[in-house]
Amino acid sequence: MITRPMSPATTVDEFVESKVLPEFRPIVAAIRSLMKECAPDAQEVISYGIPTYGLKRPLAWINPSKTGVTFGFREGVNFEDRYHLLRGTAKHAKHVRMKNLGEVNEAALKYYITQAVNLDKR
């Protein structure tokens, strides 16, 4: 199957409908809702082919795959991680990986989103 690149005009809603497997859409919906609640001023756009959120700088992104959803944070290495959910070996970024809605820890994700927003304000 040949897939064509997404046009720049693609919305996040269109991305979710066409690129996220149905079983992972509730996870993406939960993340989007938490972002709207905790970072209401962040812009939600498609960047580098995935949904991203930004204020002055990029804050976070949602990267769905065939096996789950990764919610990444640009400055995750600087976060306090009392929930011990952040993963990754990148120099700056860290992420949380979820395979089902039961793995969406709202308290932890709010905690991480709030830290991302606060770091952006500095």
Side-chain angles (χ1 to χ4, degrees), residues 97-112:
R97 184 104 173 112
M98 295 157 277
K99 295 180 181 179
N100 60 62
L101 199 53
E103 292 182 355
V104 175
N105 183 329
E106 286 191 17
L109 297 182
K110 286 180 182 183
Y111 177 65
Y112 299 140

Side-chain angles (χ1 to χ4, degrees), residues 57-98:
R57 297 178 297 243
L59 296 176
W61 58 87
I62 300 170
N63 191 4
S65 71
K66 292 180 181 178
T67 60
V69 176
T70 300
F71 186 33
F73 298 94
R74 180 177 174 269
E75 293 295 328
V77 72
N78 296 313
F79 289 4
E80 201 175 284
D81 188 14
R82 67 178 177 220
Y83 292 94
H84 307 288
L85 296 176
L86 292 173
R87 300 288 180 260
T89 58
K91 193 181 277 189
H92 298 285
K94 294 286 181 180
H95 64 270
V96 177
R97 184 104 173 112
M98 295 157 277

Side-chain angles (χ1 to χ4, degrees), residues 18-30:
S18 65
K19 300 290 183 185
V20 179
L21 293 175
E23 60 266 31
F24 299 133
R25 289 180 191 158
I27 298 169
V28 172

